[in-house]
Amino acid sequence: MQRNSIGKDHQLTIRMLATGLMLLVAYLALFGLLLISGLNPIFVFVIGIGMVFFQYFMSDKLVLKTTKAKAVTKEEQPKLHEMIERLSKIGGIPKPRTVAIMEMEAPNAFATGRSPKHATVAVTTGLLSKLNDKELEGVIGHELAHIKNRDVMVMTWASLIVVVAGFLMQMLFWMSLFGGFGGHRRQGNGGQAMAMMMVVYIGVIIIYFISQLLISTLSRYRELAADREGAIMTGSPTNLASALKKISGQIAQIPEKDLRQVEHANAFFIIPALQGNAIASLMSSHPPTEIRVARLMEMQQQNWHLLR
Amino acid sequence: MRLFRTLFKKPDSPESNESDILSTVLRITNRDTNGKKDINLSGESTLLLNANDHPFFTDIKSSLKELDKELFMSTMRTPLQGLKSETYNSCWIIFESTNNQKMVDDINAISSHIANLGLGENMTAAVFKGTIGDQSFYCICNYRTSKFYPLVPLGHDMRDNELEMKIGDRIASIGIPLEPHENWYSLSDVPI
């Protein structure tokens, strides 16, 4: 049953590596700026690592708490448990420790946890009611692929630079407000030191935004990789393609709110401002559904099963 | 008021015709699909009002009794019970009849009357109960947009969106103005 020799998408792998390299350059630039500024880079990175460690170890608990997902037993959800168990075996990973359900009409799912052993897969009631078994299998396959690819770990650690740059931005902002970047304390060259700190501040802001873009790009590539891996796990790229079309199509636009909650809010005339916006799509953590579906259909048309 | 002029026929017009938006819902009645009359109106409907401190709402039962005397709304359900919504500050006026045309006429008449009281903004929607096969659904006319959309509640705040999409396609195909999907808001406590 186990399929470990999964065909690779070399182009995608190269793109991920290139993004990783650019992130490395951003890390070095940030380190350089820290040295110039006179701030202790070790101190700043230790704080950043501490924050990321907390996020890494607590992510599953935090996500479950914020989404109000409730763990369900095999007796409560036998079909879902059986499906996850079967696909985990095919994927060559242990069955996730927690299977959870969120009482939410919007069809959605997520996987979290620092390792396959500590993983959680959660689905919404909307997903269970809207998708047929094959489509649900496609989505579960995608989520298990995230676990197999250790995406929580990769993305959490990749985002360390954003955490550190964000922390620095705040620190420099408060320093500028209350201490004039400490210029008055620097003997002699107060003005020059202040100008230098301004350069560092602007540099950190630029690195922060570039890192955000790179992290989002990496996340989109990881999503495409999980689509591919999940499709191979389930044996049918069309299952996930059909689920994605259903989830993000017209059904997904149907609101959950009561008409009386929105009748005074001019909601009937609002067009989502960021839809189709180029910047919004650059910052998006998921690739556009059309691209995902097209890639899956391409996979289906090729003799993709020969890749196994 | 302009909205209501476009929504409804004049109150004194003798018979409703399809020039008013609400009457287009009658096109649902006994619709054929492959020789089978599977989509229909069930003869129950309700008008949803957003209540405020206007005298019309403070004693709505008396207000409606007065209105009934004036307009002879034979399809309005009496005795007038269960009018107030528990969750929202809104109320429902319920209509029942085997004559769907008469029911629409009564909703049009009462809507015009309420609009003439200066309460046009307080009218939220008209809701018609229907059936498709063995499944019940609601056809909702949103008074703010003058368009219809389907609602298939499954209980516990769940909806059958897939069936709603199918019904939406059907009602649009027979010329009923369809609300865009993003405005298909739920109604949690429809009393019919």
Side-chain angles (χ1 to χ4, degrees):
Chain A
M1 283 296 263
Q2 196 168 314
R3 295 168 196 164
N4 280 329
S5 56
I6 289 167
K8 301 276 181 210
D9 182 338
H10 296 294
Q11 215 179 11
L12 192 61
T13 312
I14 290 167
R15 282 181 189 178
M16 272 195 254
L17 282 173
T19 312
L21 263 175
M22 284 192 263
L23 265 174
L24 187 67
V25 172
Y27 267 105
L28 290 174
L30 188 66
F31 203 82
L33 281 175
L34 278 168
L35 286 176
I36 293 169
S37 69
L39 291 167
N40 186 347
I42 308 293
F43 166 73
V44 175
F45 270 90
V46 163
I47 288 180
I49 288 169
M51 286 157 86
V52 170
F53 246 108
F54 176 78
Q55 193 183 326
Y56 180 51
F57 280 95
M58 298 300 289
S59 64
D60 50 344
K61 290 179 191 74
L62 286 174
V63 172
L64 285 176
K65 205 160 189 174
T66 50
T67 57
K68 291 180 184 166
K70 202 179 123 217
V72 286
T73 62
K74 201 168 183 174
E75 287 69 39
E76 288 169 317
Q77 284 289 337
K79 196 172 79 178
L80 186 61
H81 268 271
E82 183 278 322
M83 190 182 278
I84 291 172
E85 198 168 346
R86 180 167 45 81
L87 291 174
S88 301
K89 266 186 201 162
I90 296 171
I93 52 169
K95 186 189 170 197
R97 196 163 61 170
T98 311
V99 176
I101 287 186
M102 295 167 275
E103 286 286 340
M104 207 183 284
E105 205 183 316
N108 218 334
F110 68 81
T112 184
R114 62 184 186 272
S115 68
K117 273 186 188 168
H118 297 90
T120 294
V121 170
V123 296
T124 64
T125 44
L127 190 88
L128 294 176
S129 67
K130 285 177 178 106
L131 300 188
N132 63 37
D133 286 356
K134 288 280 165 203
E135 291 162 340
L136 183 63
E137 205 174 86
V139 174
I140 298 291
H142 170 90
E143 297 306 333
L144 291 175
H146 275 309
I147 295 169
K148 186 175 179 176
N149 295 342
R150 293 176 181 263
D151 281 337
V152 171
M153 187 187 75
V154 172
M155 293 311 297
T156 308
W157 286 108
S159 62
L160 171 65
I161 187 164
V162 176
V163 174
V164 172
F167 172 66
L168 260 177
M169 260 165 60
Q170 283 185 33
M171 212 166 113
L172 291 168
F173 174 74
W174 291 113
M175 274 169 73
S176 71
L177 275 189
F178 297 112
F181 283 131
H184 62 281
R185 283 195 298 272
R186 292 162 198 260
Q187 294 93 0
N189 286 327
Q192 201 183 341
M194 199 162 163
M196 180 67 83
M197 287 306 275
M198 273 307 289
V199 170
V200 170
Y201 187 37
I202 292 166
V204 169
I205 292 173
I206 292 169
I207 288 174
Y208 177 80
F209 285 105
I210 289 176
S211 310
Q212 286 273 28
L213 281 177
L214 290 172
I215 299 293
S216 302
T217 307
L218 186 65
S219 171
R220 291 196 294 274
Y221 291 152
R222 307 286 306 179
E223 287 299 326
L224 291 174
D227 282 354
R228 183 179 178 83
E229 182 94 34
I232 293 168
M233 242 184 238
T234 59
S236 171
T238 49
N239 290 351
L240 180 58
S242 167
L244 285 172
K245 278 195 271 187
K246 204 180 262 186
I247 290 170
S248 63
Q250 289 172 324
I251 282 181
Q253 293 173 10
I254 297 176
E256 290 172 51
K257 282 186 178 168
D258 193 285
L259 178 61
R260 287 159 287 182
Q261 285 176 284
V262 292
E263 64 172 326
H264 300 301
N266 262 344
F268 303 108
F269 309 104
I270 292 169
I271 298 163
L274 289 175
Q275 220 165 41
N277 184 302
I279 292 171
S281 65
L282 271 178
M283 298 299 281
S284 171
S285 61
H286 284 63
T289 306
E290 312 86 71
I291 289 177
R292 296 174 71 181
V293 170
R295 277 177 166 259
L296 288 163
M297 297 316 287
E298 204 177 293
M299 234 176 129
Q300 182 73 38
Q301 279 159 13
Q302 293 161 358
N303 275 338
W304 66 274
H305 53 276
L306 296 176
L307 294 171
R308 271 187 257 157
Chain B
M1 288 304 289
R2 187 161 51 87
L3 171 73
F4 295 99
R5 261 181 244 129
T6 58
L7 251 178
F8 307 108
K9 67 188 173 99
K10 288 174 193 144
D12 57 349
S13 62
E15 252 179 78
S16 71
N17 56 52
E18 295 221 344
S19 64
D20 66 285
I21 297 291
L22 207 59
S23 289
T24 58
V25 77
L26 297 169
R27 296 181 194 178
I28 287 177
T29 310
N30 283 328
R31 273 290 146 179
D32 264 312
T33 311
N34 302 325
K36 199 175 141 194
K37 286 174 179 163
D38 71 338
I39 182 164
N40 208 346
L41 292 176
S42 69
E44 283 175 283
S45 61
T46 178
L47 182 62
L48 174 60
L49 301 161
N50 170 28
N52 60 12
D53 52 6
H54 188 279
F56 181 84
F57 296 109
T58 48
D59 189 3
I60 189 152
K61 285 187 187 178
S62 306
S63 307
L64 289 176
K65 273 180 193 162
E66 285 301 311
L67 256 181
D68 195 20
K69 277 182 205 163
E70 197 180 318
L71 300 171
F72 304 108
M73 293 179 295
S74 60
T75 68
M76 190 164 72
R77 186 192 284 175
T78 46
L80 297 160
Q81 282 170 354
L83 285 166
K84 295 267 181 173
S85 166
E86 293 292 322
T87 323
Y88 300 94
N89 189 26
S90 54
C91 61
W92 307 87
I93 304 171
I94 301 165
F95 301 84
E96 270 179 318
S97 177
T98 48
N99 185 343
N100 288 310
Q101 175 74 71
K102 184 80 187 81
M103 201 163 61
V104 169
D105 289 346
D106 280 353
I107 297 175
N108 271 334
I110 197 168
S111 298
S112 299
H113 188 90
I114 292 169
N116 288 336
L117 289 174
L119 298 171
E121 291 295 312
N122 292 67
M123 286 189 283
T124 303
V127 182
F128 295 87
K129 194 171 184 179
T131 52
I132 182 159
D134 299 327
Q135 176 70 51
S136 296
F137 72 95
Y138 297 118
C139 189
I140 299 170
C141 177
N142 184 339
Y143 274 25
R144 294 193 185 273
T145 58
S146 313
K147 286 179 180 154
F148 290 82
Y149 65 93
L151 173 71
V152 184
L154 295 172
H156 305 289
D157 288 336
M158 300 289 285
R159 295 162 63 176
D160 188 341
N161 290 147
E162 265 185 78
L163 186 56
E164 286 171 4
M165 297 291 290
K166 281 180 198 156
I167 298 169
D169 289 344
R170 292 281 300 277
I171 64 177
S173 72
I174 53 177
I176 295 175
L178 189 70
E179 188 78 81
H181 301 106
E182 58 268 28
N183 289 347
W184 289 14
Y185 289 97
S186 186
L187 281 174
S188 58
D189 50 358
V190 185
I192 52 173

